[in-house]
Amino acid sequence: MLQIIFTILIGFVVGLLARWIGPGGMIQGFWVTVLIGVAGSVIATYGGQALGLYRAGQPAGFIGSVVGAIALLALVQLFGR
């Protein structure tokens, strides 16, 4: 349970970073960006661990979360038009 709460909190920060770093003009609202950050964090956290790229708590998880959220933001912009 604590792992899920921590993932959501990291996702919040990741969404903000992805919005700041991400490509193009950010048309999405704040909460959509945060939700995409949480989704990117969840995908990177559990996907990266399932693939054996890193273990829980390693910095690569945070970096992967930012990259995942930026990719999701780019996809939303691509298909949102």
Side-chain angles (χ1 to χ4, degrees), residues 23-53:
M26 298 297 167
I27 300 169
Q28 300 86 5
F30 174 78
W31 292 110
V32 172
T33 304
V34 170
L35 289 175
I36 290 173
V38 170
S41 179
V42 169
I43 290 169
T45 298
Y46 297 110
Q49 289 174 12
L51 293 173
L53 298 175

Side-chain angles (χ1 to χ4, degrees), residues 4-20 30-42 62 65-66 69 73:
I4 293 170
I5 292 170
F6 184 69
T7 300
I8 291 170
L9 290 175
I10 292 297
F12 176 76
V13 173
V14 165
L16 294 176
L17 283 173
R19 183 179 175 113
W20 183 61
F30 174 78
W31 292 110
V32 172
T33 304
V34 170
L35 289 175
I36 290 173
V38 170
S41 179
V42 169
F62 183 77
S65 295
V66 172
L73 279 172

